[in-house]
Amino acid sequence: MERPTLISKAAATLPVAPNWTRYEQERQSFTWEAARQALQGLPGGGLNMGFEAVDRHAATPRADKTALRFVSRNAPALDVSYAELARQTNRFANVLQGLGVGRGDRLFVLSGRMPELYVAVLGALKNGTVVTPLFSAFGPEPIAARINLGEGQVLVTTDVLYQRKIKAMRAQMPTLRHVLLVAEEGASIYEPDTLDLATLMRGASDKFTSVATQPEDPALLHFTSGTTGTPKGALHVHGAVVAHHATGRYALDLQEHDRYWCTADPGWVTGMSYGILAPLLQGVTSLVDREEFDAERWYSLLEAERITVWYTAPTAIRMLMKAGTELARQHHFPDLRFVASVGEPLNPQAVWWGLETLGLPIHDNWWQTETGGIMIANTAAFDIKPGSMGRPLPGVEAFIVEHLEAVGEAPRVRVIDQPDVEGELALKAGWPSMFRGYLHNEARYRQCFAGELYLTGDLARRDADGYYWFVGRSDDVIKSAGHLIGPFEVESVLMEHPAVAEAGVIGKPDPIVGEVVKAFVSLKDGYVPEAALRQDILAHARKRLGAAVAPKEIAFLPVLPRTRSGKIMRRLLKARELGLPEGDTSTLEAGA
Ligand code: ATP
Ligand code: MG
């Protein structure tokens, strides 16, 4: 079925007036200096992420409002107010002080979405200690590798995870001085060379004055998802908090009375910037579900928790789509007013699915670990072009560039002014949440800049209305008979077929045309992988894309390999197809 190419919004018909309604005016009047004034700051020009997210509210009428609401299957919900969060994070900062851990030292957290993780992250930030979250499903080697690369001195984890993943490797992590354990159930199991966090917290004062960090002081070290290769450690500073605050307002349209749910795990940058920081900075109530994905559970939570703003990812949306519409129809979401997605391209099909199933279109937005915050977005007040990642936010200048021959080591590019031309997406450097380096990899960092432009490694085009369209990662683009083919376009068309749940497309070397398009497809429940279906999907793709761009081959897989943050790993599909080494698979989801 052909669908219109625009979902138009009329601000007056929206249930809540959006924060940002005049696109150009707001972009013109916006400055990062002014955005910073919306935060409190510390005496002497200091700025501290933890203070702004938590303490700033504790002295206001928001003090008793629920900041974080933790839900899980087998325990009652736990509501933590802003004032309580301030006291708990004070205690944690004092625990660190007591251990001699201070400004610039490095703390790692490895756990599920438990309250102590949030307290540790925010308390450490208030203490000026640099935080790195690790995804709790990582195996022992990837954990040790990251702690060693980041020279972690403190680790907060659970007794169970410690026994399973850390204990045997402990001697191989020479920088790790303190391991603070949280008991997963009941009393903690005693482990030598560790400390019991609950005991330390009880003995610590709940009064603490945030360390006077400066905007350029390091705050967070995030590892990238490892979709295209070995994960890189991207360093962020306390000043990034200005972007977390502003983008929560512009891109997610967060407002005082929202009940917000970000489904990303804090082990990844989305779970940190938008699962922890942005909602707290906006003073809203944020839901934290401690359980793993489950379609029925998620629909029930959206409904029962009366979520108003929901931030999720294409992988989750694809799983909900796969579970079928009947399940969704058993639920109603009258409170839901804004839904956004990030992490991978969002197929138009998924935008429409949102409209039909949730009653709202899904707003795609684009950013990276390196950008620290949302840069390009479809937002509440403005029309959506399904398949487009939207337009730049205030304070963000985006360009499409073409590479010129490098002079020496530095990349050189030319800005392409005409619309509808594909090129690399570049951003004018200078927004506050921009990464300040790749850990121990200065050369790689320098390769990301051409003059004042940051080169994202993603290919895109801008249309005449200023909307950006994702084409593919520069590593994934397919060169076939003189055409450049973006995998996203092909995958989106495959997703239109009623049987297709997920699609990943690669270029397979071919002696005649350079590369041919090969697609890997997983099917929706109830479909059987057989030759007739393959033919049907191929025919659909040829009709929509033409023979030059449509896949020549389709292989069925039960699931596609993806990162634990949910991204399809095309490099792995390709390596497996060609019998090449798989490279770094530390972030690969189990069973894929
Ligand atoms: P690595 O850099 O280690 O290969 P990664 O790039 O997947 O991993 P992240 O920083 O988590 O690590 O992901 C950012 C990338 O995700 C972007 O560069 C882009 O390729 C992709 N991405 C994020 N949001 C979108 C979106 N809305 N549309 C298309 N692609 C997106
Ligand atoms: Mg990347």
mmCIF file of all heavy atoms in Angstrom, residues 474-495:
data_model
loop_
_atom_site.group_PDB
_atom_site.id
_atom_site.type_symbol
_atom_site.label_atom_id
_atom_site.label_comp_id
_atom_site.label_asym_id
_atom_site.label_seq_id
_atom_site.Cartn_x
_atom_site.Cartn_y
_atom_site.Cartn_z
ATOM 1 N N SER A 474 29.280 4.921 6.236
ATOM 2 C CA SER A 474 30.173 4.909 5.078
ATOM 3 C C SER A 474 30.800 3.527 4.898
ATOM 4 O O SER A 474 31.038 3.103 3.779
ATOM 5 C CB SER A 474 31.202 6.026 5.138
ATOM 6 O OG SER A 474 31.692 6.153 6.424
ATOM 7 N N ASP A 475 30.992 2.784 5.994
ATOM 8 C CA ASP A 475 31.559 1.427 5.887
ATOM 9 C C ASP A 475 30.605 0.440 5.207
ATOM 10 O O ASP A 475 31.036 -0.598 4.726
ATOM 11 C CB ASP A 475 31.820 0.829 7.281
ATOM 12 C CG ASP A 475 32.864 1.585 8.045
ATOM 13 O OD1 ASP A 475 33.196 2.707 7.625
ATOM 14 O OD2 ASP A 475 33.333 1.064 9.064
ATOM 15 N N ASP A 476 29.320 0.729 5.263
ATOM 16 C CA ASP A 476 28.329 -0.256 4.805
ATOM 17 C C ASP A 476 27.809 -0.005 3.396
ATOM 18 O O ASP A 476 27.021 -0.794 2.874
ATOM 19 C CB ASP A 476 27.103 -0.241 5.744
ATOM 20 C CG ASP A 476 27.420 -0.798 7.119
ATOM 21 O OD1 ASP A 476 28.379 -1.573 7.229
ATOM 22 O OD2 ASP A 476 26.698 -0.449 8.069
ATOM 23 N N VAL A 477 28.213 1.113 2.809
ATOM 24 C CA VAL A 477 27.652 1.453 1.502
ATOM 25 C C VAL A 477 28.133 0.468 0.433
ATOM 26 O O VAL A 477 29.269 0.017 0.458
ATOM 27 C CB VAL A 477 28.007 2.908 1.141
ATOM 28 C CG1 VAL A 477 27.728 3.188 -0.317
ATOM 29 C CG2 VAL A 477 27.188 3.826 2.005
ATOM 30 N N ILE A 478 27.232 0.124 -0.459
ATOM 31 C CA ILE A 478 27.509 -0.911 -1.454
ATOM 32 C C ILE A 478 27.778 -0.245 -2.811
ATOM 33 O O ILE A 478 27.032 0.650 -3.224
ATOM 34 C CB ILE A 478 26.283 -1.853 -1.556
ATOM 35 C CG1 ILE A 478 26.019 -2.471 -0.171
ATOM 36 C CG2 ILE A 478 26.500 -2.920 -2.620
ATOM 37 C CD1 ILE A 478 24.632 -3.069 -0.027
ATOM 38 N N LYS A 479 28.857 -0.679 -3.452
ATOM 39 C CA LYS A 479 29.182 -0.116 -4.763
ATOM 40 C C LYS A 479 28.907 -1.187 -5.809
ATOM 41 O O LYS A 479 29.602 -2.179 -5.881
ATOM 42 C CB LYS A 479 30.647 0.310 -4.806
ATOM 43 C CG LYS A 479 30.931 1.433 -3.819
ATOM 44 C CD LYS A 479 32.410 1.688 -3.614
ATOM 45 C CE LYS A 479 32.631 2.469 -2.325
ATOM 46 N NZ LYS A 479 32.654 1.634 -1.104
ATOM 47 N N SER A 480 27.890 -0.935 -6.613
ATOM 48 C CA SER A 480 27.470 -1.947 -7.579
ATOM 49 C C SER A 480 27.300 -1.315 -8.958
ATOM 50 O O SER A 480 26.485 -0.405 -9.111
ATOM 51 C CB SER A 480 26.145 -2.568 -7.120
ATOM 52 O OG SER A 480 25.795 -3.631 -7.953
ATOM 53 N N ALA A 481 28.067 -1.776 -9.920
ATOM 54 C CA ALA A 481 27.976 -1.303 -11.307
ATOM 55 C C ALA A 481 27.894 0.224 -11.383
ATOM 56 O O ALA A 481 27.039 0.779 -12.054
ATOM 57 C CB ALA A 481 26.755 -1.937 -11.986
ATOM 58 N N GLY A 482 28.770 0.864 -10.651
ATOM 59 C CA GLY A 482 28.824 2.324 -10.713
ATOM 60 C C GLY A 482 27.800 3.034 -9.839
ATOM 61 O O GLY A 482 27.848 4.245 -9.688
ATOM 62 N N HIS A 483 26.864 2.302 -9.252
ATOM 63 C CA HIS A 483 25.907 2.933 -8.324
ATOM 64 C C HIS A 483 26.433 2.826 -6.904
ATOM 65 O O HIS A 483 27.073 1.847 -6.556
ATOM 66 C CB HIS A 483 24.568 2.176 -8.281
ATOM 67 C CG HIS A 483 23.842 2.132 -9.562
ATOM 68 N ND1 HIS A 483 23.054 3.169 -9.983
ATOM 69 C CD2 HIS A 483 23.750 1.168 -10.504
ATOM 70 C CE1 HIS A 483 22.519 2.830 -11.147
ATOM 71 N NE2 HIS A 483 22.927 1.628 -11.474
ATOM 72 N N LEU A 484 26.071 3.823 -6.091
ATOM 73 C CA LEU A 484 26.285 3.686 -4.650
ATOM 74 C C LEU A 484 24.943 3.341 -4.041
ATOM 75 O O LEU A 484 23.968 4.076 -4.200
ATOM 76 C CB LEU A 484 26.781 5.006 -4.057
ATOM 77 C CG LEU A 484 28.266 5.308 -4.190
ATOM 78 C CD1 LEU A 484 28.611 6.572 -3.430
ATOM 79 C CD2 LEU A 484 29.116 4.141 -3.686
ATOM 80 N N ILE A 485 24.881 2.239 -3.352
ATOM 81 C CA ILE A 485 23.599 1.802 -2.796
ATOM 82 C C ILE A 485 23.674 1.845 -1.274
ATOM 83 O O ILE A 485 24.563 1.253 -0.666
ATOM 84 C CB ILE A 485 23.250 0.372 -3.270
ATOM 85 C CG1 ILE A 485 23.208 0.342 -4.800
ATOM 86 C CG2 ILE A 485 21.930 -0.094 -2.672
ATOM 87 C CD1 ILE A 485 23.043 -1.053 -5.380
ATOM 88 N N GLY A 486 22.747 2.564 -0.671
ATOM 89 C CA GLY A 486 22.683 2.615 0.790
ATOM 90 C C GLY A 486 21.862 1.444 1.293
ATOM 91 O O GLY A 486 20.747 1.217 0.801
ATOM 92 N N PRO A 487 22.372 0.700 2.247
ATOM 93 C CA PRO A 487 21.610 -0.466 2.714
ATOM 94 C C PRO A 487 20.246 -0.102 3.290
ATOM 95 O O PRO A 487 19.297 -0.863 3.163
ATOM 96 C CB PRO A 487 22.493 -1.080 3.804
ATOM 97 C CG PRO A 487 23.668 -0.201 3.974
ATOM 98 C CD PRO A 487 23.680 0.828 2.881
ATOM 99 N N PHE A 488 20.133 1.087 3.871
ATOM 100 C CA PHE A 488 18.875 1.460 4.527
ATOM 101 C C PHE A 488 17.696 1.455 3.552
ATOM 102 O O PHE A 488 16.625 0.954 3.850
ATOM 103 C CB PHE A 488 19.036 2.837 5.190
ATOM 104 C CG PHE A 488 17.776 3.362 5.817
ATOM 105 C CD1 PHE A 488 16.984 2.547 6.613
ATOM 106 C CD2 PHE A 488 17.384 4.672 5.618
ATOM 107 C CE1 PHE A 488 15.816 3.029 7.200
ATOM 108 C CE2 PHE A 488 16.221 5.167 6.201
ATOM 109 C CZ PHE A 488 15.437 4.342 6.987
ATOM 110 N N GLU A 489 17.938 2.018 2.359
ATOM 111 C CA GLU A 489 16.866 2.103 1.356
ATOM 112 C C GLU A 489 16.353 0.702 1.001
ATOM 113 O O GLU A 489 15.147 0.455 0.909
ATOM 114 C CB GLU A 489 17.450 2.782 0.109
ATOM 115 C CG GLU A 489 16.474 2.988 -0.996
ATOM 116 C CD GLU A 489 17.147 3.454 -2.286
ATOM 117 O OE1 GLU A 489 18.385 3.423 -2.376
ATOM 118 O OE2 GLU A 489 16.403 3.813 -3.215
ATOM 119 N N VAL A 490 17.295 -0.212 0.821
ATOM 120 C CA VAL A 490 16.922 -1.574 0.436
ATOM 121 C C VAL A 490 16.210 -2.257 1.608
ATOM 122 O O VAL A 490 15.182 -2.921 1.436
ATOM 123 C CB VAL A 490 18.178 -2.360 0.012
ATOM 124 C CG1 VAL A 490 17.799 -3.766 -0.434
ATOM 125 C CG2 VAL A 490 18.921 -1.627 -1.097
ATOM 126 N N GLU A 491 16.752 -2.083 2.803
ATOM 127 C CA GLU A 491 16.151 -2.722 3.983
ATOM 128 C C GLU A 491 14.727 -2.213 4.218
ATOM 129 O O GLU A 491 13.836 -2.977 4.572
ATOM 130 C CB GLU A 491 17.030 -2.453 5.221
ATOM 131 C CG GLU A 491 18.343 -3.244 5.166
ATOM 132 C CD GLU A 491 19.416 -2.684 6.092
ATOM 133 O OE1 GLU A 491 19.099 -1.792 6.914
ATOM 134 O OE2 GLU A 491 20.566 -3.137 5.998
ATOM 135 N N SER A 492 14.530 -0.915 4.024
ATOM 136 C CA SER A 492 13.195 -0.351 4.246
ATOM 137 C C SER A 492 12.179 -0.965 3.297
ATOM 138 O O SER A 492 11.035 -1.222 3.677
ATOM 139 C CB SER A 492 13.206 1.165 4.044
ATOM 140 O OG SER A 492 13.826 1.754 5.134
ATOM 141 N N VAL A 493 12.591 -1.179 2.048
ATOM 142 C CA VAL A 493 11.675 -1.782 1.080
ATOM 143 C C VAL A 493 11.393 -3.238 1.460
ATOM 144 O O VAL A 493 10.252 -3.702 1.395
ATOM 145 C CB VAL A 493 12.244 -1.641 -0.351
ATOM 146 C CG1 VAL A 493 11.548 -2.594 -1.316
ATOM 147 C CG2 VAL A 493 12.104 -0.191 -0.813
ATOM 148 N N LEU A 494 12.420 -3.947 1.888
ATOM 149 C CA LEU A 494 12.192 -5.339 2.308
ATOM 150 C C LEU A 494 11.221 -5.384 3.493
ATOM 151 O O LEU A 494 10.358 -6.252 3.580
ATOM 152 C CB LEU A 494 13.520 -6.003 2.685
ATOM 153 C CG LEU A 494 14.483 -6.235 1.514
ATOM 154 C CD1 LEU A 494 15.853 -6.650 2.024
ATOM 155 C CD2 LEU A 494 13.930 -7.285 0.549
ATOM 156 N N MET A 495 11.341 -4.411 4.376
ATOM 157 C CA MET A 495 10.468 -4.361 5.564
ATOM 158 C C MET A 495 8.996 -4.134 5.202
ATOM 159 O O MET A 495 8.113 -4.389 6.011
ATOM 160 C CB MET A 495 10.904 -3.224 6.504
ATOM 161 C CG MET A 495 12.228 -3.431 7.188
ATOM 162 S SD MET A 495 12.137 -4.603 8.526
ATOM 163 C CE MET A 495 11.130 -3.716 9.712
#
